[in-house]
Amino acid sequence: GENVEQHPSTLSVQEGDSAVIKCTYSDSASNYFPWYKQELGKRPQLIIDIRSNVGEKKDQRIAVTLNKTAKHFSLHITETQPEDSAVYFCAATRSGAGSYQLTFGKGTKLSVIP
Amino acid sequence: SAVISQKPSRDICQRGTSLTIQCQVDSQVTMMFWYRQQPGQSLTLIATANQGSEATYESGFVIDKFPISRPNLTFSTLTVSNMSPEDSSIYLCSVPHGHTDTQYFGPGTRLTVL
C-alpha cells in the first residue's frame, strides 16, 4: 500500500517569512495529492491539491510543487501570518476506478510567531 | 462542497459500552469514508461505506469492533463497540466531491472513553 512521509513534524517561522513542508510517497501510481489544514479542535480543511499531470499549482500565498520522478511534493506558504498557525497534513491517493482512499502523512505543526 | 454533519459532536463513555456516530450529507454520494484521529496524530482510514453493500475495512480494523451502516446515499453510521480507553479519538466521516477524488470532512466526533 501507499506510505506517505512528511517533514518536518514541527516548524516555527517569523511572521512574514516563508514556510515549506515536504512529503514523499511510495506508490508511483499515486496521482492526486491534497493538502489539508487543521486548526485546533476543527475538521481538516482542504487548502490546495495537485494532480500528477502538473508540476506546480498556486493559490494566492500557497503553492504546491510535485516531482513525480523523485516521488515528492511540497507545500509552500509565503508571507506567513499568525492565522496560518495550524497542523498541515499531506495525503496521496491513486485516483481512478472509483478509488478515493487517502493516505495521510503524520502532519506538520506550523507556528507563526508575530 | 457538500454540507456534512455529524452527531454527536462529542461524548464521554464508559468502558465496555458502545457508541453510534451518525454522518449526514446534504447531497447523494456513492462513497462515505470513516477516519480515526487519535490524540495528536494523523488521520487513519477505518473503512469505506458503500450504499447497498458491505463496508470495506482497512487493515487493523474489523467489522465486529466498528460496524458500519449505509442505509441510503446521504447517511451512514459508525459504531464503536465494547469501548476501551484506547478508542478515545476523533472520528470523522468524509465524502468525495461529486465524482472527483477531492474529499471533504465532517466536523468530527470527539470520543473519550473512561
Side-chain angles (χ1 to χ4, degrees):
Chain A
E2 176 65 277
N3 182 53
V4 177
E5 299 282 341
Q6 184 172 347
H7 299 280
S9 57
T10 60
L11 179 61
S12 291
V13 299
Q14 292 288 332
E15 182 178 358
D17 287 350
S18 296
V20 180
I21 302 170
K22 299 182 179 181
C23 290
T24 60
Y25 59 98
S26 61
D27 186 354
S28 57
S30 287
N31 55 9
Y32 175 65
F33 308 93
W35 286 88
Y36 287 85
K37 174 184 180 182
Q38 188 175 32
E39 297 176 76
L40 190 62
K42 298 193 175 180
R43 77 184 80 186
Q45 296 273 13
L46 179 71
I47 55 171
I48 195 167
D49 55 14
I50 192 167
R51 301 179 191 281
S52 59
N53 57 345
V54 298
E56 183 176 6
K57 184 177 178 181
K58 289 183 179 180
D59 183 3
Q60 299 182 18
R61 294 186 300 107
I62 60 173
V64 57
T65 58
L66 171 65
N67 183 326
K68 288 190 295 182
T69 302
K71 291 191 285 188
H72 68 69
F73 56 111
S74 301
L75 177 71
H76 304 253
I77 305 174
T78 59
E79 301 173 21
T80 53
Q81 301 167 3
E83 50 266 38
D84 294 328
S85 296
V87 178
Y88 291 81
F89 294 99
C90 63
T93 188
R94 182 190 302 188
S95 177
S99 172
Y100 304 116
Q101 296 157 316
L102 293 172
T103 300
F104 285 85
K106 292 189 181 300
T108 297
K109 183 177 182 179
L110 173 64
S111 300
V112 180
I113 304 164
Chain B
S1 61
V3 176
I4 309 168
S5 61
Q6 284 186 235
K7 290 181 181 180
S9 59
R10 58 178 62 228
D11 207 342
I12 300 173
C13 300
Q14 295 298 318
R15 181 196 298 261
T17 62
S18 298
L19 176 72
T20 296
I21 302 167
Q22 300 178 8
C23 180
Q24 179 78 53
V25 188
D26 69 342
S27 58
Q28 293 184 341
V29 291
T30 52
M31 295 183 184
M32 297 176 78
F33 302 94
W34 287 99
Y35 287 84
R36 181 177 73 183
Q37 187 174 29
Q38 295 176 299
Q41 303 297 312
S42 186
L43 296 93
T44 302
L45 181 65
I46 297 172
T48 303
N50 303 299
Q51 198 271 334
S53 64
E54 292 287 330
T56 304
Y57 289 83
E58 297 300 306
S59 176
F61 298 96
V62 295
I63 187 171
D64 289 346
K65 176 68 177 178
F66 297 101
I68 287 171
S69 78
R70 185 80 200 277
N72 57 55
L73 291 174
T74 63
F75 186 80
S76 178
T77 67
L78 170 76
T79 298
V80 186
S81 303
N82 188 24
M83 290 184 285
S84 67
E86 292 71 36
D87 294 319
S88 297
S89 295
I90 300 172
Y91 293 85
L92 302 113
C93 64
S94 76
V95 301
H97 176 63
H99 294 289
T100 73
D101 35 29
T102 302
Q103 285 190 33
Y104 295 99
F105 285 86
T109 296
R110 183 179 295 272
L111 170 62
T112 302
V113 184
L114 302 178

